[in-house]
Coordinates of all heavy atoms in Angstrom, one line a residue:
P23 N -12.8 1.3 -2.2 CA -13.0 1.4 -0.8 C -12.0 0.5 -0.1 O -11.6 -0.5 -0.6 CB -14.4 0.9 -0.5 CG -14.9 0.2 -1.7 CD -14.0 0.6 -2.9
F24 N -11.5 0.9 1.1 CA -10.5 0.1 1.9 C -11.1 -1.3 2.1 O -12.4 -1.4 2.3 CB -10.3 0.8 3.2 CG -9.3 2.0 3.0 CD1 -9.8 3.3 3.3 CD2 -8.1 2.0 2.5 CE1 -9.0 4.4 3.1 CE2 -7.3 3.0 2.3 CZ -7.7 4.2 2.6
G25 N -10.4 -2.3 2.0 CA -10.8 -3.6 2.3 C -11.2 -4.4 1.0 O -11.3 -5.6 1.0
R26 N -11.4 -3.7 -0.1 CA -11.7 -4.3 -1.3 C -10.5 -4.7 -2.2 O -9.5 -4.0 -2.1 CB -12.7 -3.4 -2.3 CG -13.0 -4.2 -3.5 CD -14.1 -3.6 -4.3 NE -15.4 -3.5 -3.5 CZ -16.3 -2.6 -3.8 NH1 -16.3 -2.0 -4.7 NH2 -17.4 -2.7 -2.9
A27 N -10.4 -5.8 -2.8 CA -9.2 -6.3 -3.5 C -9.2 -5.6 -4.9 O -10.4 -5.5 -5.5 CB -9.2 -7.8 -3.6
H28 N -8.0 -5.4 -5.4 CA -7.9 -5.0 -6.8 C -7.2 -6.2 -7.5 O -6.1 -6.7 -7.1 CB -7.0 -3.8 -6.9 CG -6.6 -3.5 -8.4 ND1 -7.4 -2.9 -9.2 CD2 -5.5 -3.8 -9.1 CE1 -6.9 -2.8 -10.4 NE2 -5.7 -3.3 -10.3
A29 N -7.9 -6.8 -8.4 CA -7.3 -8.0 -9.2 C -6.6 -7.6 -10.5 O -7.1 -6.8 -11.2 CB -8.4 -9.0 -9.4
Y30 N -5.5 -8.2 -10.7 CA -4.7 -8.0 -12.0 C -5.1 -9.3 -12.7 O -5.5 -10.4 -12.2 CB -3.3 -8.0 -11.7 CG -2.9 -6.7 -11.0 CD1 -2.8 -6.6 -9.6 CD2 -2.7 -5.5 -11.7 CE1 -2.4 -5.5 -9.1 CE2 -2.3 -4.4 -11.1 CZ -2.2 -4.3 -9.6 OH -1.9 -3.2 -9.0
P31 N -5.0 -9.2 -14.2 CA -5.4 -10.4 -15.0 C -4.6 -11.6 -14.7 O -5.1 -12.7 -14.9 CB -5.1 -9.7 -16.5 CG -5.1 -8.3 -16.3 CD -4.6 -7.9 -14.9
D32 N -3.4 -11.6 -14.2 CA -2.7 -12.8 -14.0 C -2.9 -13.5 -12.6 O -2.3 -14.5 -12.4 CB -1.1 -12.5 -14.0 CG -0.6 -11.5 -12.9 OD1 -1.5 -10.9 -12.3 OD2 0.7 -11.5 -12.6
G33 N -3.9 -13.0 -12.0 CA -4.3 -13.6 -10.7 C -3.6 -12.9 -9.4 O -3.9 -13.5 -8.4
V34 N -2.8 -12.0 -9.5 CA -2.4 -11.2 -8.4 C -3.4 -10.2 -7.9 O -4.0 -9.6 -8.7 CB -1.0 -10.5 -8.7 CG1 -0.6 -9.5 -7.7 CG2 0.1 -11.5 -9.0
T35 N -3.6 -10.3 -6.6 CA -4.6 -9.3 -6.0 C -3.8 -8.4 -5.0 O -2.9 -9.0 -4.3 CB -5.8 -9.9 -5.4 OG1 -5.5 -10.8 -4.5 CG2 -6.6 -10.7 -6.5
V36 N -4.3 -7.3 -4.7 CA -3.8 -6.4 -3.7 C -5.0 -5.8 -2.9 O -6.0 -5.4 -3.5 CB -2.9 -5.2 -4.2 CG1 -2.4 -4.3 -3.1 CG2 -1.7 -5.8 -5.0
T37 N -5.0 -5.9 -1.6 CA -6.0 -5.3 -0.8 C -5.3 -4.4 0.3 O -4.2 -4.6 0.7 CB -6.6 -6.4 0.0 OG1 -7.1 -7.3 -1.0 CG2 -7.9 -5.8 0.8
V38 N -5.9 -3.2 0.3 CA -5.4 -2.3 1.5 C -6.6 -2.1 2.5 O -7.7 -1.9 2.2 CB -5.1 -0.8 0.9 CG1 -4.7 0.2 2.0 CG2 -4.0 -1.0 -0.2
S39 N -6.2 -2.4 3.8 CA -7.1 -2.4 5.0 C -7.6 -1.0 5.3 O -6.9 0.0 4.8 CB -6.5 -3.1 6.1 OG -5.5 -2.1 6.7
P40 N -8.7 -0.8 5.9 CA -9.1 0.5 6.4 C -8.0 1.0 7.4 O -7.3 0.3 8.1 CB -10.4 0.2 7.3 CG -11.0 -1.1 6.7 CD -9.7 -1.8 6.3
P41 N -7.7 2.4 7.4 CA -6.6 2.9 8.3 C -7.1 3.0 9.7 O -8.3 3.1 10.1 CB -6.5 4.3 7.7 CG -7.7 4.6 7.0 CD -8.3 3.4 6.5
T42 N -6.1 2.6 10.6 CA -6.3 2.8 11.9 C -5.3 3.8 12.6 O -4.2 3.9 12.1 CB -6.2 1.5 12.7 OG1 -4.9 0.9 12.4 CG2 -7.3 0.5 12.2
P43 N -5.7 4.6 13.5 CA -4.7 5.4 14.2 C -3.7 4.7 15.1 O -3.9 3.7 15.6 CB -5.5 6.3 15.0 CG -6.9 5.8 15.1 CD -7.0 4.7 14.0
V44 N -2.5 5.1 15.0 CA -1.3 4.6 15.8 C -0.6 5.8 16.4 O -0.7 6.9 16.0 CB -0.4 3.7 15.0 CG1 -1.1 2.5 14.4 CG2 0.2 4.4 13.6
E45 N 0.3 5.5 17.3 CA 0.9 6.5 18.1 C 2.5 6.3 17.9 O 3.0 5.4 18.6 CB 0.5 6.5 19.6 CG 1.1 7.7 20.2 CD 0.5 9.1 19.8 OE1 -0.8 9.2 19.4 OE2 1.3 10.1 19.6
P46 N 3.0 6.9 16.9 CA 4.5 6.8 16.8 C 5.2 7.3 18.0 O 4.8 8.2 18.8 CB 4.9 7.7 15.7 CG 3.6 7.9 14.9 CD 2.5 7.8 16.1
G47 N 6.4 6.7 18.3 CA 7.3 7.3 19.5 C 7.9 8.6 19.2 O 7.8 9.2 18.0
E48 N 8.7 9.1 20.2 CA 9.3 10.4 20.2 C 10.3 10.4 19.0 O 10.5 11.6 18.5 CB 9.9 10.6 21.5 CG 10.7 11.8 21.7 CD 11.4 11.8 23.1 OE1 11.3 10.9 23.9 OE2 12.0 12.8 23.3
W49 N 10.9 9.3 18.8 CA 12.1 9.3 17.7 C 11.6 8.9 16.4 O 12.4 8.6 15.5 CB 13.3 8.5 18.2 CG 13.7 9.1 19.5 CD1 13.6 8.3 20.8 CD2 14.4 10.2 19.9 NE1 14.0 9.1 21.7 CE2 14.5 10.2 21.3 CE3 14.7 11.3 19.1 CZ2 15.1 11.3 21.8 CZ3 15.5 12.4 19.8 CH2 15.6 12.4 21.1
A50 N 10.4 8.8 16.2 CA 9.8 8.2 14.8 C 10.2 9.3 13.7 O 10.1 10.5 13.8 CB 8.3 8.1 14.8
A51 N 10.8 8.6 12.5 CA 11.1 9.5 11.5 C 9.8 9.7 10.5 O 9.0 8.8 10.3 CB 12.2 8.8 10.6

Side-chain angles (χ1 to χ4, degrees):
F24 289 114
R26 182 164 304 159
H28 175 77
Y30 293 94
D32 66 345
V34 170
T35 61
V36 178
T37 307
V38 177
S39 72
T42 57
V44 293
E45 192 63 44
E48 176 181 4
W49 304 108

